[in-house]
């Protein structure tokens, strides 16, 4: 399914070299101010061409509002945001039609859609669609900005006593390492020197979340976040808090001791989630990004026509390290999930402010 | 939400020390033979009390069919399977009511449900509910057994040429390490010696899957699998194929070369998934299990009544290493997801055989 | 699918002559008091055997709580309510196995489930399952009782000026006519005299609803209500407000003039719904119930074995006029929909009170 | 929610006088030929301006494909179809801002969205959006054309014996009466003579449907059809088969006798649906359309600013009888539902042909 979310719900569409990529956002509250300028910084962060190691393909990436916005404000009706594809060089891909590129969706897409798929530049499977995720993320982030989850007197007698600090929810993702190097330039240079692509690790943190977001049983915070995170191309793993390291720890080491009535813990090995719900501490998780499948290096694959193995060298314009572009996308999907959880828990009203 | 799945859809309910734990399975095809005996081996694998390091609590764990089965066969109507709770010692937990146990859902559950939650033995958040997942997993596994995905002539002209090997889908999970030790006894002894609980890593593999299971965009195989996997208590991370190691690799190292028309690759770094879809190779993923939150060691936490930090020692009957019981649960949720994907892709008919 | 609802979500299961009929209610707020006594009056209203024209089959119909209730209060976890089938006489139906009863689901059920269906007493298609709907309706009604939708200052500056009257939401359904007679006894006597079954019309009204329940576009109040109403066996039509009569009216006759700031209109031809949303007036709709398919009269049908048309006379215990039992079921599904809409619009908190 | 469907799933967006109206169709099989020409006849049928009694507003109504179509064929990815709004005269509506038009969504929309709604020409509540439904209907109809549901040997031993006639599924809707007149011109003249708007009744029929479409319990054919039908503005009632007349009938009159192994019945009072499933006979249902709310007649309403009742006369360009434009819309939603049910029952493959 190309839709995700329960109240704040997105439907994505588009192709790499087709007419457009875009998104419909259903369930966004009415009254949220939105202008094109709100989108530009995050779209710029995602865009290739400015960083060493990113693709020279440059799209203008101007969001076009097609519905749901009136007088620069959300109306409560579905918001449609479109990005037109202009700067495409499909010819690069036509040549590769007979040879599925290793690591790409070419082979499985053809199996799934019987040859009817738009194969140009990975078509619907392209990272190009993340431009639409970033746009939805901008809407979600603006929503979070306007939200100050505060004590709900119905919730818990304890909350009435302890004072919530006025908090704004903030989501930020950073690259922890590239090619195993915490010095990112060093990691990138490794790829350049080897004329190869390379992977990386990104960490995402969210502060200011109220306690008890997330739903039992299947819609734990980890479940919903990982669901959307794995929709980002190239993600191979996700871990929350201490993550895989927890498997080597003793319980007495791993448990976080609660130290105040707002749920603050002395340590944060849990990464802000216990029992599938936020526990009042910082949300922390990391994802692994595989090296870009398109590498300048020669590789072998199967030719669909000759049914023979042959050598292929992927030309086109590609990122050496796709991880460089992922942080803003990771922030986007995280903000989308948080917005949805806040609405489910009624921390965000259906009309703002 | 306590429901999961699109066609083969499960709804879970129950509490640790309440009346029962159970599951409703909607969308299971008619005509699948099912008897209580089918459930016993997997329920036995999950049960505590027989392994060093697992809880001495023993439930009879006999599945009671409440609907959807007639003449030992599924009817196509929703299947309800109930497990009654008999062997509960709630008094152990009553004493702890005022002190949320570190690492447990006590604190967040109370915040979410305002004190109305069934707090006995983690209530609805308890690992007890995994007995219902295992039961649904047995139904899913039986479904997979009866399924031989084979070439669909509509799919791809290429498939007509290449012969599918007749394959039965098999799912199996094993413990890779405990407390960082691949010698599991050694890892367990570490916990026993330290009078502490300990974590572990489980690997799950599935063979015989047809190419192109999974849906673009949000319902990639990784997305849907990780969604349900994180519903299993104590899971802290998941990685597919090379997983986090991929972040350190070059593209030319990581890409798997396709070597035949069925999608077989020379290596399987992708863990059987490309572009979010199965690619005809073995599905491989690993999860990290944190150490059991209930450890014999003394810990500090906050007393809800006095609002003071105090020392707590969790009595009750608990597993030293919850990872020991997870493999059969992990197989269950994996089989559930595969069954659902096979039905979406029409590899399983709505009436069997 | 055997599930319905978005936040307040029900999953139904069971058969007429199987183990049980039951329902899982997910998303019910925590803190709602619930005892078995709350269910008895509505279950009694639905039960056959006490009214002229209803079936002599008598089930004890005692709800058994299987999850989600603790200390006579909802916990926020899924509520499972079970009804065991005791008073079944399957032999009545075994004889009819080869001859699908006219007007019943026997034929289509066998086509859909290939002969694996539980055919005894219509199995999963039986009106028996409405006992579970009525139980869920009791929970929904109690929820409505505790809800006083009141002015939300975020909503509309106009609301701040106009004072809402404190209102409790009430749902009630009554039989308007049987066999075309508004004198119900007369209509019923018609059936008795003719040794035949007979149909009827039921009207449902709900007062105290806040303005603007319902969602654009597909989830209009009429859409969601009619969806669940047609799940009640024997319903053949539904109309809101003036309904079919509206097709004969002029616009100036049909339009309701708004006369105060709370949306009160001079007339209520719209039945309380405009643009798919509640408009602050009484919700009014009517449904048509066909005559009970099981009639004492002889009928012809096809024998599945001989493939010959033959005469059948349906014995068993049946209602002459199923419409007599529908009002409490209609109230139930209406209350369920209203509860769900109130939660979506955040008029009901996730923790009560 | 602005989405509908389980496998063949649509998401609608847009406003009357905003940028556009459009639809995303998710889950459409790959390989369906689609060109703009396919859409023109149905769009023409829906368009105003050519019939006596329809609005003189004329939109070009050219569908713009934004995704999911490649080489004039569906790719399996979401299909986005856009209609740009050009011929808008918003000024007509600006004047009416303070006075909610009787029978329109103005009042409830403002209550729901707090004044942030796009109020021009009913905004998101406008009948303008049905252009997108008609477009999705064209896709669904083409899908049905390519589908010949035929005996599935897994289904029923009986089917193997009886031969299915090769059938193509056809959906067609016609106006039965306007203003109570079966002579439509007469009914229309009634409105013209009275300088008023008028209602009507539409009937929809579908032939060629396989037996056993529809799902128990909540997703009966009537449930799903009525759900989407009430999304069409101005629908006030729906009835299947004999509908409301059934309430006056005896069981022996109403029951349809099965006369052959394909489920053919001697009469069709059930309208082709028994037990919520199609029974192999023609699907028949009728809907009631209220008179257009915009009538040339003067009416009273409340002024939001003065809070006084005042007289309003709705100018703008409007249909005297909106029922005239509904048949093609009704066909569209019916075809959409049938396509979805066929996919769920696996009568339509995920790759065509």
């Amino acid at each position: 399914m190309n839709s995700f979310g329960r109240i704040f719900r997105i439907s994505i569409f588009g192709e790499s070299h087709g007419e457009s990529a875009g998104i419909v956002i259903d369930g966004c509250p009415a009254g949220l101010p939105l202008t094109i300028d709100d989108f530009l910084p995050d779209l710029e962060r995602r865009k290739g061409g400015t960083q060493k190691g990113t693709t020279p393909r440059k799209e203008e990436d101007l969001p076009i509002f097609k519905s749901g916005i009136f007088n620069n404000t959300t109306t409560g009706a579905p918001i449609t945001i479109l990005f037109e594809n202009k700067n495409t060089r499909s010819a690069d891909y036509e040549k590769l039609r007979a040879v599925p590129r290793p690591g790409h969706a070419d082979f499985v897409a053809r199996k799934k859609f019987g040859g009817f798929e738009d194969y140009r530049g990975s078509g619907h499977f392209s990272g190009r669609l993340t431009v639409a995720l970033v746009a939805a993320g901008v809407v979600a982030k603006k929503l979070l900005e306007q939200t100050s989850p505060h004590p709900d007197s119905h919730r818990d007698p304890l909350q009435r006593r302890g004072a919530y600090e006025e908090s704004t929810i903030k989501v930020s993702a950073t690259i922890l390492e590239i090619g195993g190097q915490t010095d990112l330039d060093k990691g990138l240079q490794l790829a350049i020197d080897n004329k190869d692509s390379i992977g990386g690790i990104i960490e995402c943190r969210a502060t200011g979340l109220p306690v008890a977001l997330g739903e039992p049983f299947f819609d734990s915070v980890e479940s919903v976040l990982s669901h959307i995170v794995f929709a980002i191309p190239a993600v191979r793993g996700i871990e929350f808090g201490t993550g895989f390291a927890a498997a080597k720890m003793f319980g007495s080491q791993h448990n976080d001791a609660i130290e105040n009535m707002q749920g603050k813990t002395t340590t944060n090995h849990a990464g802000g989630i216990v029992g599938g719900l936020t526990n009042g501490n910082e949300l922390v998780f990391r994802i692994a990004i595989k090296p870009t499948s398109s590498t300048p290096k020669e590789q072998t694959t199967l030719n669909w026509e000759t049914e023979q193995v042959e050598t292929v060298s992927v030309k086109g314009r590609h990122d050496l390290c796709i991880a460089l572009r992922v942080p803003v996308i990771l922030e986007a999907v995280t903000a989308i999930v948080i917005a949805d959880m806040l609405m489910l828990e009624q921390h965000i009203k259906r009309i703002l402010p």
Side-chain angles (χ1 to χ4, degrees), chain A:
Chain A
M1 303 279 279
N2 292 273
S3 296
F4 187 81
R6 292 150 299 184
I7 306 283
F8 185 87
R9 185 167 173 85
I10 55 177
S11 297
I12 204 164
F13 58 85
E15 288 87 18
S16 179
H17 292 225
E19 279 292 309
S20 63
I23 204 154
V24 182
I25 306 169
D26 198 3
C28 183
L32 182 72
L34 266 189
T35 67
I36 288 183
D37 285 345
D38 291 323
F39 293 81
L40 302 185
D42 271 7
L43 290 171
E44 191 62 32
R45 287 173 66 198
R46 180 196 160 279
K47 215 188 289 183
T50 57
Q51 267 178 300
K52 180 164 73 169
T54 56
T55 171
R57 172 177 174 182
K58 263 185 153 164
E59 288 285 354
E60 218 178 311
D61 284 356
L62 273 184
I64 305 169
F65 300 152
K66 283 297 186 186
S67 71
I69 295 173
F70 179 49
N71 293 335
N72 294 324
T73 311
T74 61
T75 63
I79 301 163
T80 305
I81 303 174
L82 208 71
F83 295 88
E84 295 189 345
N85 291 328
K86 291 164 183 167
N87 190 7
T88 58
R89 297 214 316 242
S90 307
D92 288 348
Y93 298 92
E94 291 289 345
K95 290 179 284 185
L96 291 170
R97 179 77 175 118
V99 274
R101 295 164 299 160
H104 279 283
D106 300 351
F107 179 84
V108 292
R110 184 159 173 187
K111 287 283 186 182
K112 187 162 197 87
F113 298 120
F116 295 111
E117 72 281 2
D118 183 346
Y119 50 81
R120 300 167 300 169
S122 298
H124 184 58
F125 291 84
S126 168
R128 172 71 184 142
L129 272 76
T130 57
V131 72
L133 281 184
V134 169
V138 167
V139 178
K141 283 176 180 178
K142 283 214 73 173
L143 209 47
L144 302 190
E145 267 171 39
Q146 312 234 345
T147 308
S148 305
H150 53 80
D152 180 341
S153 59
H154 293 292
R155 275 302 148 94
D156 197 296
L158 299 172
Q159 286 197 351
R160 277 180 236 143
R161 292 183 246 153
Y164 246 63
E165 285 133 62
E166 269 314 309
S167 57
T168 311
I169 298 169
K170 289 227 181 309
V171 179
S172 73
T174 51
I175 306 175
L176 288 192
E177 53 178 74
I178 288 177
Q181 307 292 318
T182 52
D183 179 334
L184 307 188
D185 277 333
K186 222 185 219 171
L188 214 51
Q189 198 57 46
L190 222 60
I192 293 167
D193 293 346
N194 279 272
K195 295 201 166 77
D196 212 334
S197 60
I198 200 152
I201 289 175
I202 324 271
E203 185 173 82
C204 189
R205 289 169 177 266
T207 55
L209 298 177
V211 183
L213 293 184
E215 301 296 311
F217 187 87
F218 293 113
D219 290 353
S220 71
V221 176
E222 300 102 317
S223 289
V224 179
L225 265 175
S226 64
H227 191 138
I228 195 170
V229 160
F230 278 112
I232 305 174
V235 177
R236 304 312 294 150
I238 187 169
E239 58 176 13
F240 294 85
T242 45
F244 276 85
K248 295 181 169 52
M249 292 170 78
F250 290 119
S252 62
Q253 291 175 305
H254 189 272
N255 286 340
D256 302 309
I258 303 173
E259 62 177 10
N260 74 16
M261 303 299 280
Q262 285 74 48
K264 177 87 178 54
T265 52
T266 47
T267 51
N268 187 17
H269 298 126
I273 309 172
V274 168
L277 310 182
T278 55
N279 69 355
N281 295 275
E282 194 177 22
L283 173 70
V284 186
F285 68 96
R286 280 169 302 284
I287 64 171
I289 303 291
K290 72 173 182 179
T292 319
S293 298
S294 297
T295 157
K297 279 260 189 319
E298 289 211 329
Q299 300 170 85
T300 61
T301 188
L302 201 78
N303 186 307
W304 292 65
E305 283 159 18
T306 63
E307 298 193 18
Q308 299 299 313
V309 170
E310 65 177 50
T311 301
V312 63
S313 169
V314 181
K315 294 289 189 303
R317 299 156 294 171
H318 304 288
D319 299 277
L320 279 189
C321 179
I322 195 70
L324 292 172
R325 295 171 71 177
V326 170
V328 69
I329 304 168
L330 189 58
E331 287 177 13
V333 298
T334 304
I336 287 165
V337 163
I338 293 172
D340 192 37
M341 295 192 302
L342 287 168
M343 292 196 73
L344 260 177
E345 275 290 298
Q346 309 187 348
H347 288 290
I348 297 180
K349 300 273 178 206
R350 295 196 58 177
I351 303 175
L352 302 173

PDB file of all heavy atoms in Angstrom, chain A residues 333-349:
ATOM      1  N   VAL A 333      10.032  11.386   8.230  1.00  0.00           N
ATOM      2  CA  VAL A 333       9.156  10.253   8.581  1.00  0.00           C
ATOM      3  C   VAL A 333       8.940  10.171  10.087  1.00  0.00           C
ATOM      4  O   VAL A 333       7.862   9.774  10.555  1.00  0.00           O
ATOM      5  CB  VAL A 333       9.681   8.905   8.018  1.00  0.00           C
ATOM      6  CG1 VAL A 333       9.726   8.948   6.496  1.00  0.00           C
ATOM      7  CG2 VAL A 333      11.022   8.518   8.595  1.00  0.00           C
ATOM      8  N   THR A 334       9.942  10.562  10.849  1.00  0.00           N
ATOM      9  CA  THR A 334       9.781  10.556  12.302  1.00  0.00           C
ATOM     10  C   THR A 334       8.741  11.590  12.728  1.00  0.00           C
ATOM     11  O   THR A 334       7.866  11.320  13.561  1.00  0.00           O
ATOM     12  CB  THR A 334      11.138  10.835  12.991  1.00  0.00           C
ATOM     13  OG1 THR A 334      12.084   9.870  12.527  1.00  0.00           O
ATOM     14  CG2 THR A 334      11.017  10.756  14.499  1.00  0.00           C
ATOM     15  N   ALA A 335       8.822  12.762  12.140  1.00  0.00           N
ATOM     16  CA  ALA A 335       7.845  13.814  12.461  1.00  0.00           C
ATOM     17  C   ALA A 335       6.439  13.386  12.047  1.00  0.00           C
ATOM     18  O   ALA A 335       5.460  13.671  12.743  1.00  0.00           O
ATOM     19  CB  ALA A 335       8.237  15.118  11.769  1.00  0.00           C
ATOM     20  N   ILE A 336       6.338  12.693  10.927  1.00  0.00           N
ATOM     21  CA  ILE A 336       5.036  12.207  10.442  1.00  0.00           C
ATOM     22  C   ILE A 336       4.429  11.225  11.451  1.00  0.00           C
ATOM     23  O   ILE A 336       3.245  11.319  11.801  1.00  0.00           O
ATOM     24  CB  ILE A 336       5.205  11.540   9.050  1.00  0.00           C
ATOM     25  CG1 ILE A 336       5.458  12.604   7.985  1.00  0.00           C
ATOM     26  CG2 ILE A 336       3.995  10.675   8.693  1.00  0.00           C
ATOM     27  CD1 ILE A 336       5.988  12.062   6.655  1.00  0.00           C
ATOM     28  N   VAL A 337       5.244  10.310  11.926  1.00  0.00           N
ATOM     29  CA  VAL A 337       4.758   9.333  12.902  1.00  0.00           C
ATOM     30  C   VAL A 337       4.368  10.012  14.210  1.00  0.00           C
ATOM     31  O   VAL A 337       3.330   9.715  14.815  1.00  0.00           O
ATOM     32  CB  VAL A 337       5.823   8.240  13.154  1.00  0.00           C
ATOM     33  CG1 VAL A 337       5.528   7.464  14.427  1.00  0.00           C
ATOM     34  CG2 VAL A 337       5.898   7.301  11.955  1.00  0.00           C
ATOM     35  N   ILE A 338       5.184  10.956  14.653  1.00  0.00           N
ATOM     36  CA  ILE A 338       4.877  11.645  15.921  1.00  0.00           C
ATOM     37  C   ILE A 338       3.576  12.445  15.787  1.00  0.00           C
ATOM     38  O   ILE A 338       2.734  12.438  16.693  1.00  0.00           O
ATOM     39  CB  ILE A 338       6.053  12.561  16.340  1.00  0.00           C
ATOM     40  CG1 ILE A 338       7.276  11.704  16.711  1.00  0.00           C
ATOM     41  CG2 ILE A 338       5.659  13.456  17.513  1.00  0.00           C
ATOM     42  CD1 ILE A 338       8.551  12.505  16.944  1.00  0.00           C
ATOM     43  N   ALA A 339       3.409  13.120  14.654  1.00  0.00           N
ATOM     44  CA  ALA A 339       2.180  13.890  14.435  1.00  0.00           C
ATOM     45  C   ALA A 339       0.966  12.975  14.526  1.00  0.00           C
ATOM     46  O   ALA A 339      -0.045  13.307  15.163  1.00  0.00           O
ATOM     47  CB  ALA A 339       2.227  14.592  13.077  1.00  0.00           C
ATOM     48  N   ASP A 340       1.074  11.815  13.894  1.00  0.00           N
ATOM     49  CA  ASP A 340      -0.034  10.864  13.903  1.00  0.00           C
ATOM     50  C   ASP A 340      -0.312  10.366  15.327  1.00  0.00           C
ATOM     51  O   ASP A 340      -1.468  10.292  15.764  1.00  0.00           O
ATOM     52  CB  ASP A 340       0.322   9.688  12.980  1.00  0.00           C
ATOM     53  CG  ASP A 340      -0.871   8.787  12.697  1.00  0.00           C
ATOM     54  OD1 ASP A 340      -1.995   9.304  12.556  1.00  0.00           O
ATOM     55  OD2 ASP A 340      -0.688   7.565  12.622  1.00  0.00           O
ATOM     56  N   MET A 341       0.730  10.048  16.071  1.00  0.00           N
ATOM     57  CA  MET A 341       0.547   9.562  17.439  1.00  0.00           C
ATOM     58  C   MET A 341      -0.039  10.660  18.329  1.00  0.00           C
ATOM     59  O   MET A 341      -0.883  10.387  19.186  1.00  0.00           O
ATOM     60  CB  MET A 341       1.881   9.061  18.009  1.00  0.00           C
ATOM     61  CG  MET A 341       2.446   7.832  17.285  1.00  0.00           C
ATOM     62  SD  MET A 341       3.849   7.015  18.139  1.00  0.00           S
ATOM     63  CE  MET A 341       5.033   8.369  18.251  1.00  0.00           C
ATOM     64  N   LEU A 342       0.409  11.878  18.148  1.00  0.00           N
ATOM     65  CA  LEU A 342      -0.127  12.992  18.943  1.00  0.00           C
ATOM     66  C   LEU A 342      -1.615  13.201  18.657  1.00  0.00           C
ATOM     67  O   LEU A 342      -2.390  13.527  19.557  1.00  0.00           O
ATOM     68  CB  LEU A 342       0.641  14.286  18.638  1.00  0.00           C
ATOM     69  CG  LEU A 342       2.057  14.380  19.196  1.00  0.00           C
ATOM     70  CD1 LEU A 342       2.799  15.567  18.579  1.00  0.00           C
ATOM     71  CD2 LEU A 342       2.045  14.528  20.724  1.00  0.00           C
ATOM     72  N   MET A 343      -2.016  13.010  17.398  1.00  0.00           N
ATOM     73  CA  MET A 343      -3.423  13.176  17.070  1.00  0.00           C
ATOM     74  C   MET A 343      -4.259  12.042  17.669  1.00  0.00           C
ATOM     75  O   MET A 343      -5.336  12.274  18.202  1.00  0.00           O
ATOM     76  CB  MET A 343      -3.624  13.279  15.561  1.00  0.00           C
ATOM     77  CG  MET A 343      -3.031  14.578  15.014  1.00  0.00           C
ATOM     78  SD  MET A 343      -3.616  14.986  13.341  1.00  0.00           S
ATOM     79  CE  MET A 343      -5.316  15.504  13.703  1.00  0.00           C
ATOM     80  N   LEU A 344      -3.734  10.828  17.588  1.00  0.00           N
ATOM     81  CA  LEU A 344      -4.437   9.685  18.173  1.00  0.00           C
ATOM     82  C   LEU A 344      -4.629   9.872  19.672  1.00  0.00           C
ATOM     83  O   LEU A 344      -5.658   9.500  20.236  1.00  0.00           O
ATOM     84  CB  LEU A 344      -3.634   8.401  17.948  1.00  0.00           C
ATOM     85  CG  LEU A 344      -4.056   7.486  16.824  1.00  0.00           C
ATOM     86  CD1 LEU A 344      -3.107   6.321  16.716  1.00  0.00           C
ATOM     87  CD2 LEU A 344      -5.474   6.972  17.008  1.00  0.00           C
ATOM     88  N   GLU A 345      -3.627  10.446  20.326  1.00  0.00           N
ATOM     89  CA  GLU A 345      -3.702  10.658  21.773  1.00  0.00           C
ATOM     90  C   GLU A 345      -4.362  11.991  22.106  1.00  0.00           C
ATOM     91  O   GLU A 345      -4.372  12.410  23.266  1.00  0.00           O
ATOM     92  CB  GLU A 345      -2.298  10.614  22.374  1.00  0.00           C
ATOM     93  CG  GLU A 345      -1.812   9.229  22.688  1.00  0.00           C
ATOM     94  CD  GLU A 345      -2.564   8.620  23.878  1.00  0.00           C
ATOM     95  OE1 GLU A 345      -2.493   9.164  24.989  1.00  0.00           O
ATOM     96  OE2 GLU A 345      -3.208   7.577  23.674  1.00  0.00           O
ATOM     97  N   GLN A 346      -4.865  12.695  21.072  1.00  0.00           N
ATOM     98  CA  GLN A 346      -5.601  13.941  21.262  1.00  0.00           C
ATOM     99  C   GLN A 346      -4.741  15.070  21.826  1.00  0.00           C
ATOM    100  O   GLN A 346      -5.259  15.978  22.473  1.00  0.00           O
ATOM    101  CB  GLN A 346      -6.840  13.695  22.122  1.00  0.00           C
ATOM    102  CG  GLN A 346      -7.698  12.534  21.611  1.00  0.00           C
ATOM    103  CD  GLN A 346      -9.014  12.405  22.374  1.00  0.00           C
ATOM    104  OE1 GLN A 346      -9.226  13.010  23.405  1.00  0.00           O
ATOM    105  NE2 GLN A 346      -9.941  11.613  21.820  1.00  0.00           N
ATOM    106  N   HIS A 347      -3.432  15.029  21.591  1.00  0.00           N
ATOM    107  CA  HIS A 347      -2.587  16.152  21.980  1.00  0.00           C
ATOM    108  C   HIS A 347      -2.669  17.266  20.942  1.00  0.00           C
ATOM    109  O   HIS A 347      -2.332  18.405  21.225  1.00  0.00           O
ATOM    110  CB  HIS A 347      -1.128  15.720  22.136  1.00  0.00           C
ATOM    111  CG  HIS A 347      -0.873  14.887  23.335  1.00  0.00           C
ATOM    112  ND1 HIS A 347      -0.917  15.390  24.615  1.00  0.00           N
ATOM    113  CD2 HIS A 347      -0.595  13.566  23.465  1.00  0.00           C
ATOM    114  CE1 HIS A 347      -0.657  14.414  25.479  1.00  0.00           C
ATOM    115  NE2 HIS A 347      -0.463  13.304  24.812  1.00  0.00           N
ATOM    116  N   ILE A 348      -3.049  16.916  19.725  1.00  0.00           N
ATOM    117  CA  ILE A 348      -3.251  17.923  18.675  1.00  0.00           C
ATOM    118  C   ILE A 348      -4.739  17.985  18.373  1.00  0.00           C
ATOM    119  O   ILE A 348      -5.372  16.960  18.151  1.00  0.00           O
ATOM    120  CB  ILE A 348      -2.479  17.555  17.385  1.00  0.00           C
ATOM    121  CG1 ILE A 348      -0.972  17.525  17.648  1.00  0.00           C
ATOM    122  CG2 ILE A 348      -2.801  18.532  16.272  1.00  0.00           C
ATOM    123  CD1 ILE A 348      -0.134  17.164  16.426  1.00  0.00           C
ATOM    124  N   LYS A 349      -5.287  19.175  18.404  1.00  0.00           N
ATOM    125  CA  LYS A 349      -6.701  19.368  18.105  1.00  0.00           C
ATOM    126  C   LYS A 349      -6.925  19.284  16.595  1.00  0.00           C
ATOM    127  O   LYS A 349      -5.983  19.453  15.811  1.00  0.00           O
ATOM    128  CB  LYS A 349      -7.160  20.763  18.573  1.00  0.00           C
ATOM    129  CG  LYS A 349      -7.007  21.000  20.051  1.00  0.00           C
ATOM    130  CD  LYS A 349      -8.237  20.514  20.783  1.00  0.00           C
ATOM    131  CE  LYS A 349      -8.068  20.698  22.280  1.00  0.00           C
ATOM    132  NZ  LYS A 349      -8.882  19.756  23.051  1.00  0.00           N
TER     133      LYS A 349
END
